[in-house]
């Protein structure tokens, strides 16, 4: 583990940046320490396939009891160098997260996963039940995305915006670094807001820096690897989840249909589901206060 630097976050507490070696490559981690310096429980934030740790910035300015751990998963953010995308199954990504948490000395954790991060969090809950205290799966990309990736022609009728995004990412991935540069360049134009409009209930209200951030974090090869990983995952493993779970989607969510929440709810009474009004795929951005209230309620359970 290598400590690289420290930086302030929005004028509040300090975030410490570290790099931890994992089976999928080096993983950049941000730590926001809680008041208990000897705590062995962490709140862990796992971003989606079109993001990085910065996805959760709207949630980080408030007070917190425990350490917050925010990862750039291998292949995203500051964790692209040396990432082994060919091995990036859901199981391997979950294993990399646990490697990081073990390296940092945490014995148990609350997991907050957005999009792909929600699927990874649910897998960790299934495979490390004695250490996972709770899961908040925010617009987790699960059953619908898996089916649409395996059969894009069928997905066009169920999740057309996801299939369109997947085909676009597959094309730009073929361009290598030029494809990623093209996405970043488009991030500074009105076209990017139009392209990302399906992800939000009110795209015109989304701050420009959020749109630019999503373009900056766009990594076509990593996005395609994540979609492939979810499509190959055995969701039956989630029947062993025993901790409290809150699964959330926006009522205008283009990637997480209501049927995904219904299937999750069928796993047992410990899984609560909720559809957030006036919200798309990024409830963290569009409804951060409500998301924080849901997290506080979950952690009190």
């Amino acid at each position: 583990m290598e400590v690289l630097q420290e930086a302030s976050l929005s004028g509040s507490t300090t975030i410490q940046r570290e790099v931890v070696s994992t089976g999928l490559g080096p993983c950049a981690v941000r730590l926001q320490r809680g008041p208990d310096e000897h705590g062995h429980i962490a709140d862990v934030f796992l971003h989606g396939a079109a993001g990085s740790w910065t996805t959760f910035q709207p949630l980080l300015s408030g007070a917190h009891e425990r350490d917050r751990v925010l990862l750039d998963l291998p292949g995203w953010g500051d964790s692209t160098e040396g990432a082994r995308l060919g091995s990036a199954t859901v199981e391997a990504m979950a294993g990399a997260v646990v490697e990081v948490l073990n390296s940092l000395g945490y014995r148990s954790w609350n997991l907050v996963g957005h999009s792909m991060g929600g699927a990874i969090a649910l897998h960790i809950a299934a495979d490390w039940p004695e250490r996972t205290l709770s899961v908040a799966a925010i617009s987790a990309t699960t059953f619908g995305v898996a089916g649409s990736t395996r059969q894009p022609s069928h997905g066009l009728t169920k999740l057309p915006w996801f299939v369109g995004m997947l085909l676009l990412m597959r094309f730009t991935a073929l361009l290598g670094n030029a494809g990623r540069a093209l996405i970043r360049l488009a991030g500074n134009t009105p076209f990017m807001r139009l392209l990302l409009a399906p992800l939000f209930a009110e795209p015109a209200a989304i701050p420009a820096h959020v749109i630019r951030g999503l373009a900056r974090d766009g990594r076509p090869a990593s996005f395609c690897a994540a979609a492939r990983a979810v499509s190959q995952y055995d969701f039956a493993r989630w029947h062993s989840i025993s901790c409290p779970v809150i699964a959330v989607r926006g009522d205008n969510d283009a990637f997480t249909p209501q049927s995904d929440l219904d299937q999750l709810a069928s796993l047992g009474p410990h899984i609560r589901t909720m559809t957030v009004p006036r919200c798309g795929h990024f409830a963290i951005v569009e409804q951060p206060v409500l998301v924080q209230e849901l997290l506080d309620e979950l952690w009190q359970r």
Side-chain angles (χ1 to χ4, degrees):
M1 179 175 66
E2 177 189 2
V3 179
L4 297 180
Q5 65 182 30
E6 288 191 347
S8 63
L9 177 71
S10 303
S12 57
T13 58
T14 297
I15 276 196
Q16 178 179 320
R17 181 177 180 270
E18 305 184 4
V19 174
V20 178
S21 296
T22 76
L24 287 180
C27 187
V29 187
R30 268 75 176 183
L31 296 176
Q32 192 179 25
R33 298 291 187 183
D36 182 3
E37 296 182 359
H38 304 290
H40 298 290
I41 301 175
D43 297 336
V44 183
F45 296 79
L46 306 174
H47 64 80
S52 67
W53 75 275
T54 59
T55 299
F56 297 100
Q57 281 186 317
L59 304 180
L60 301 182
S61 60
H64 54 107
E65 298 179 6
R66 295 169 297 277
D67 290 1
R68 289 167 169 165
V69 180
L70 302 110
L71 291 80
D72 279 344
L73 294 163
W76 286 270
D78 292 341
S79 301
T80 56
E81 191 70 29
R84 303 179 181 91
L85 293 181
S87 302
T89 63
V90 171
E91 295 89 338
M93 288 188 282
V97 172
V98 174
E99 285 184 79
V100 169
L101 297 174
N102 286 338
S103 176
L104 297 175
Y106 296 109
R107 298 173 183 169
S108 54
W109 42 71
N110 298 294
L111 301 174
V112 182
H114 173 251
S115 197
M116 172 197 68
I120 295 172
L122 289 165
H123 177 80
I124 294 173
D127 264 27
W128 287 270
E130 73 285 354
R131 303 180 68 181
T132 304
L133 304 179
S134 69
V135 172
I138 303 168
S139 287
T141 45
T142 56
F143 311 100
V145 161
S148 297
T149 302
R150 290 191 295 265
Q151 294 183 299
S153 59
H154 291 173
L156 282 172
T157 61
K158 296 181 178 180
L159 295 178
W161 292 113
F162 167 75
V163 172
M165 182 74 73
L166 178 61
L167 295 177
L168 177 62
M169 287 296 189
R170 284 177 174 173
F171 171 74
T172 50
L174 294 175
L175 302 178
N177 291 334
R180 184 184 168 201
L182 183 64
I183 293 175
R184 297 188 70 171
L185 181 64
N188 296 314
T189 70
F191 174 72
M192 183 55 68
R193 185 180 295 274
L194 179 64
L195 184 65
L196 297 178
L199 297 177
F200 302 99
E202 299 180 10
I206 303 303
H209 72 85
V210 173
I211 301 297
R212 290 194 299 269
L214 287 170
R216 182 182 63 250
D217 289 331
R219 287 169 171 78
S222 299
F223 184 96
C224 295
R228 182 174 61 252
V230 172
S231 72
Q232 297 171 348
Y233 184 69
D234 179 12
F235 295 106
R237 303 177 73 157
W238 290 351
H239 286 285
S240 64
I241 294 174
S242 57
C243 68
V245 175
I246 176 72
V248 177
R249 67 177 291 273
D251 60 349
N252 287 285
D253 200 323
F255 286 6
T256 307
Q258 179 61 42
S259 58
D260 279 19
L261 262 61
D262 294 340
Q263 287 184 261
L264 286 173
S266 70
L267 297 177
H270 56 291
I271 298 184
R272 176 190 173 199
T273 63
M274 179 178 181
T275 297
V276 180
R278 301 182 306 280
C279 189
H281 192 62
F282 280 83
I284 300 164
V285 174
E286 294 189 279
Q287 300 282 358
V289 174
L290 175 59
V291 169
Q292 187 59 61
E293 290 174 351
L294 292 173
L295 292 178
D296 291 339
E297 179 184 348
L298 175 67
W299 295 335
Q300 289 173 4
R301 290 170 61 189

